[in-house]
Amino acid sequence: MKQLTLVILTFFGIQYSSAQINEFGLYLGGANFVGDVGATDYIAPNQLAIGAIYKWNRSPRHSYRVSLTFAELEGVDKNSDDPSRQLRGLEFNNQIIELSAGVEFTFFDFNLHEGGFVSTPYLSTGISATQHDDFYYNSLGEVTSNDDTNIALGIPMIIGFKALVTSNIILALEVGARYTFSDNLDGSAPDAEELAQRRFGNLNNNDWYMFTGVTLTYTFGKNPCYCGY
């Protein structure tokens, strides 16, 4: 019993001593869509994206992160380099809300308590859930709403660079691609069977969208002891 008590006390002591630094802040940038309608440039932000982000720095080399982002996805065939899309002339706007959670890995140690200038590139991935408007195109090529919304799950793939600019402020620049498990963010593949004749494009490829922007976060919490990680 004494050994068990000692183990329990040691465990909770380690947990307390290794309390980690938190980050909370804002995301501001641009969004662009890559699918069956509009241009197919992967990094070409054309609509505003804004949100909030929280990180829990588990060690100098990795963090857990959660973000909530509001944006609008736009597709305009006339902006495409594809002559067939230019001739088709479809266009849409889709309001989205993305909730994303994942892990961030830094290339170098990002220790916030060494003092001086600290910076590193990083990679992040996880899972996302995106609420978007549900619509299709009628026989005239006009966007027709189903008066409903859908949820598209996806995988975020993010690369960025961050730096500690003051003792409590971190500035980061990042580019993130979202691969979704949906082909209908642009209205090209409505789910309803009665709308099957309205489907078009490559039904074997799902939709992507991109976020390009900056985060500004404020750090707070106990100084971490990164021992054993």
Side-chain angles (χ1 to χ4, degrees), residues 30-93:
N32 66 281
F33 174 79
V34 181
D36 293 306
V37 178
T40 55
D41 301 315
Y42 274 88
I43 303 179
N46 53 29
Q47 295 294 322
L48 178 67
I50 188 170
I53 185 168
Y54 168 79
K55 297 182 184 182
W56 180 46
N57 295 309
R58 188 68 178 84
S59 81
R61 297 299 296 272
H62 77 286
S63 306
Y64 300 115
R65 55 186 277 168
V66 178
S67 62
L68 183 67
T69 309
F70 301 83
E72 182 173 318
L73 301 182
E74 177 187 78
V76 180
D77 276 348
K78 292 182 179 179
N79 294 336
S80 173
D81 295 328
D82 186 341
S84 63
R85 293 195 181 193
Q86 295 176 8
L87 183 63
R88 185 178 61 186
L90 296 178
E91 59 182 77
F92 76 92
N93 290 86

Side-chain angles (χ1 to χ4, degrees), residues 111-168:
N111 193 325
L112 303 179
H113 306 288
E114 290 183 339
F117 182 76
V118 184
S119 64
T120 180
Y122 62 88
L123 298 173
S124 179
T125 189
I127 189 168
S128 62
T130 304
Q131 178 180 288
H132 62 94
D133 298 331
D134 188 26
F135 60 91
Y136 64 95
Y137 298 89
N138 63 23
S139 58
L140 299 177
E142 299 169 334
V143 169
T144 304
S145 175
N146 283 328
D147 297 321
D148 196 8
T149 59
N150 282 336
I151 300 292
L153 297 179
I155 301 175
M157 293 167 278
I158 300 168
I159 184 169
F161 181 86
K162 61 182 179 180
L164 184 67
V165 294
T166 73
S167 60
N168 290 99

